[in-house]
Amino acid sequence: MIEFLITTEVQKLLYQLNILLEQELRCQPKASGLRLIETAHDNGFRMTARLRDFEVKDLLSLTQFFGFKTETFSLAVNFLDRFLSKMKVQPKHLGCVGLSCFYLAVKATEEERNIPLATDLIRISQYRFTVSDMMRMEKILLEKLYWKAKTTTAFQFLQLYHLLIHENLSCERRKHLNFERLEAQLKACHCRIMFSKTKPSVLALSILALEIEEQKMLELKEVIECLQIQSKTNSRDLTFWKELVFTCLKEYSSNKCLKPNVQKLKWIVSGCTARQLKLSYYRITHLPTIPETGL
């Protein structure tokens, strides 16, 4: 075992990690349900991977528009994928399902003073359903999620892994492993349904391992191997998902990829709505550009 495992702070973090690892299998979407979505034909009546990915990008736009945390977005995506993998959702209802998942995540993670009114959220999202429709959908969601608005997400693993690795770095080297950049990469991966098929711990570790290779932080190779053992992730799985993450980030960085669009939310906020919204609602955090890099 490597040295960072014996420090008091790391022992606390490892305890938290073990709790998340015990919970993550209970918080994953149904694999069979995700496969059905991936193989479905786009005939206007069935949920498809393309529709799901578009909806997640809309949720990311809302996250950026309101300045909400990555934790909120990651939780909303978890809610959405778990629900879609269990229930047959028609495309015409996807907007209500997605926004309801988003609102549940916001209320679970954000400070109360930053939570928008449901009416404002619907108007800014430019949907035609009512607050009553969204409240009914929230109840259905909670029933299917067993009334648990807190769950284990890839963001939580990414945060813990990052903290554990920081314990093994000098102050000078810590700045080379930027957490905001890792968050941006996770957001990009969440916009692809295929990453919902792996465990959150594996996705987070794949993003981190790829970034460490990119930054040429060779001294952390042992740390990644240790985290692999701690998380019970074999090398084959890590390599497989790391390659998929690399491909995703490469495509996301290209001009061909459709990025989340905050502009389409801005135009609707004017007049009466603008006066009603809190100033904090305009804290727009743009997703950083992820440069194309090699493994």
Side-chain angles (χ1 to χ4, degrees), residues 65 123-126 261-271 273-274 282:
F65 179 81
R123 175 162 170 74
I124 291 169
S125 303
Q126 304 169 46
N261 184 11
V262 180
Q263 293 298 325
K264 72 175 185 178
L265 301 179
K266 287 181 182 178
W267 72 269
I268 201 70
V269 184
S270 59
T273 302
Y282 295 95

Side-chain angles (χ1 to χ4, degrees), residues 22-222:
E22 289 175 5
Q23 296 173 344
E24 73 171 335
L25 289 178
R26 298 194 295 269
C27 303
Q28 279 190 267
K30 287 177 60 178
S32 58
L34 292 178
R35 283 195 296 270
L36 285 174
I37 294 173
E38 283 190 309
T39 57
H41 296 293
D42 197 350
N43 58 10
F45 299 100
R46 297 185 63 185
M47 187 55 51
T48 66
R50 184 182 67 85
L51 291 173
R52 178 270 180 200
D53 289 352
F54 274 135
E55 180 61 26
V56 171
K57 288 175 183 176
D58 282 345
L59 298 187
L60 181 51
S61 294
L62 284 170
T63 302
Q64 295 173 187
F65 179 81
F66 285 106
F68 289 149
K69 298 176 289 190
T70 303
E71 179 184 7
T72 301
F73 174 64
S74 192
L75 184 60
V77 173
N78 177 276
F79 288 163
L80 179 64
D81 286 334
R82 284 165 63 196
F83 188 78
L84 293 180
S85 68
K86 285 184 178 182
M87 308 296 293
K88 290 183 178 180
V89 177
Q90 293 187 27
K92 65 181 179 181
H93 297 140
L94 181 59
C96 187
V97 172
L99 199 63
S100 299
C101 289
F102 182 74
Y103 203 37
L104 281 175
V106 168
K107 290 186 285 188
T109 59
E110 299 292 336
E111 294 182 24
E112 188 174 353
R113 62 187 175 85
N114 291 329
I115 299 174
L117 296 174
T119 50
D120 292 335
L121 189 58
I122 292 170
R123 175 162 170 74
I124 291 169
S125 303
Q126 304 169 46
Y127 286 122
R128 295 180 181 273
F129 51 80
T130 66
V131 172
S132 296
D133 293 332
M134 197 164 84
M135 294 303 104
R136 284 196 297 272
M137 183 57 69
E138 274 195 14
K139 184 180 178 183
I140 294 171
L141 282 165
L142 285 170
E143 287 175 353
K144 298 304 176 182
L145 298 173
Y146 306 108
W147 299 92
K148 293 179 180 179
K150 285 284 189 179
T151 190
T152 304
T153 65
F155 171 81
Q156 292 172 309
F157 282 107
L158 189 63
Q159 191 175 47
L160 268 179
Y161 289 150
H162 183 260
L163 289 171
L164 282 164
I165 286 178
H166 259 212
E167 290 293 315
N168 205 52
L169 285 174
S170 65
C171 293
E172 178 64 24
R173 293 290 279 166
R174 286 179 181 182
K175 65 183 180 182
H176 296 290
L177 195 62
N178 184 278
F179 189 64
E180 288 185 4
R181 178 179 164 87
L182 294 171
E183 286 183 282
Q185 293 170 346
L186 175 61
K187 289 174 183 176
C189 291
H190 274 325
C191 292
R192 302 290 180 88
I193 193 173
M194 63 179 164
F195 291 108
S196 295
K197 295 191 295 183
T198 189
K199 294 188 293 185
S201 59
V202 176
L203 174 56
L205 193 58
S206 300
I207 291 171
L208 196 53
L210 185 65
E211 181 66 6
I212 284 171
E213 288 181 12
E214 157 64 17
Q215 298 299 330
K216 295 181 172 57
M217 305 175 81
L218 301 179
E219 72 272 27
L220 293 178
K221 184 179 179 182
E222 241 187 285

